[in-house]
Amino acid sequence: MKNLIIIAARKNSKRLRNKNLTKIGKKNLIQRSIEFALKISDKTYVYLSTDSEKIKSYSKKYNIICPALRPKFLSSSKASSSDVCIHAIKNFIKITNNTVSNVILLQPTSPFRTVAYYKKTYNIFKKNKKPTITVSPIQDKKFIQTSKNKIKFLKDEKKNFYEINGNLYIIKVSDLIKTKSFFKKDFNISITKSKKLSVDIDTIYDLDIAKKFVQWNY
């Protein structure tokens, strides 16, 4: 099976300016994703999709594939990750004349990954070839109940509830092209309880959390 690693990184962000070039420790988000991709794949199967010349420059530095800037219709906030990946797959096949069986999507907004978690997730995918996404347990939350001027703290007992953490997405190319989505009716989940691996940077608050993990060397 040939896996194409796609790193999707556009230049604009609604909440954080130049988010994908933001440094976490000594390396920015793009570098972190590229360097992880090269741990799990040969550079000839790592594809960077971007509409930014500055981000594209990292493809030369790491000698990975980024033939041209992403077209405008795939660079807006309305463009889906699936459409971006399908465009990348077609470009990759056209340029290299290589076949691809599966796609592994790395979003730079997930700055922390481990080879161990990747192997766990990929082994889950291999068992039945269903789309596989990484998730984290929803944290137990306490809420307040008031009655007759009394306050009582209650625990929201949510078991087996998960949220997508964005760390990894794996799917067969044929399924992605057919459904144009990383989510079919039936899919696998790969669970991590690690708060670090669950970081998905979307806001200043998320960015601060990521920086603290690096500062604490956690």
Side-chain angles (χ1 to χ4, degrees):
M1 293 186 295
K2 291 293 185 180
N3 301 322
L4 178 62
I5 314 293
I6 297 177
I7 301 170
R10 63 189 183 94
K11 61 183 176 182
N12 293 322
S13 176
K14 286 184 176 180
R15 298 182 182 181
L16 291 174
R17 184 177 175 80
N18 296 319
K19 177 170 64 176
N20 288 318
L21 291 169
T22 301
K23 280 191 173 182
I24 304 294
K26 295 181 179 180
K27 297 175 182 178
N28 63 37
L29 298 184
I30 291 296
Q31 290 175 288
R32 285 178 171 272
S33 284
I34 293 175
E35 290 182 8
F36 179 78
L38 294 175
K39 289 180 180 179
I40 63 173
S41 174
D42 182 272
K43 62 186 177 182
T44 58
Y45 277 84
V46 178
Y47 188 107
L48 175 62
S49 175
T50 185
D51 60 333
S52 163
E53 286 286 0
K54 193 166 184 179
I55 292 175
K56 185 178 184 297
S57 68
Y58 284 94
S59 66
K60 294 181 180 179
K61 179 178 179 180
Y62 288 94
N63 199 21
I64 61 173
I65 300 170
C66 185
L69 294 183
R70 190 193 302 176
K72 288 185 178 180
F73 75 94
L74 290 175
S75 302
S76 71
S77 59
K78 295 181 181 179
S80 68
S81 295
S82 55
D83 286 338
V84 169
C85 286
I86 290 170
H87 174 265
I89 293 165
K90 291 179 178 178
N91 259 3
F92 174 82
I93 293 172
K94 182 179 179 180
I95 293 166
T96 66
N97 201 32
N98 291 329
T99 58
V100 183
S101 301
N102 313 305
V103 166
I104 299 169
L105 173 62
L106 302 183
Q107 298 182 129
T109 48
S110 293
F112 306 116
R113 297 183 175 94
T114 64
V115 173
Y117 189 34
Y118 163 74
K119 287 181 177 179
K120 171 188 173 181
T121 304
Y122 190 68
N123 285 334
I124 292 172
F125 168 76
K126 283 199 303 183
K127 288 180 181 179
N128 54 24
K129 306 293 177 57
K130 293 178 183 178
T132 304
I133 59 176
T134 52
V135 300
S136 306
I138 293 177
Q139 300 298 314
D140 290 337
K141 297 180 180 179
K142 292 182 178 179
F143 58 96
I144 298 174
Q145 182 183 61
T146 58
S147 176
K148 296 181 180 179
N149 296 321
K150 292 183 179 180
I151 297 176
K152 184 178 181 182
F153 287 90
L154 302 175
K155 195 172 184 181
D156 186 8
E157 296 288 351
K158 289 184 177 178
K159 295 182 179 179
N160 299 324
F161 279 72
Y162 304 97
E163 57 187 350
I164 299 169
N165 58 39
N167 198 291
L168 293 162
Y169 295 82
I170 307 177
I171 191 171
K172 288 167 56 180
V173 168
S174 56
D175 284 342
L176 182 62
I177 292 175
K178 181 180 179 180
T179 64
K180 294 187 177 181
S181 172
F182 280 90
F183 304 94
K184 290 176 61 179
K185 186 176 182 180
D186 194 12
F187 58 88
N188 302 318
I189 61 172
S190 176
I191 304 167
T192 179
K193 293 182 179 180
S194 167
K195 291 182 179 180
K196 183 175 181 179
L197 296 182
S198 302
V199 172
D200 185 10
I201 298 174
D202 186 45
T203 65
I204 289 289
Y205 174 72
D206 300 327
L207 184 59
D208 287 341
I209 290 175
K211 288 181 177 180
K212 285 177 181 177
F213 275 119
V214 173
Q215 291 168 2
W216 298 337
N217 195 28
Y218 174 75

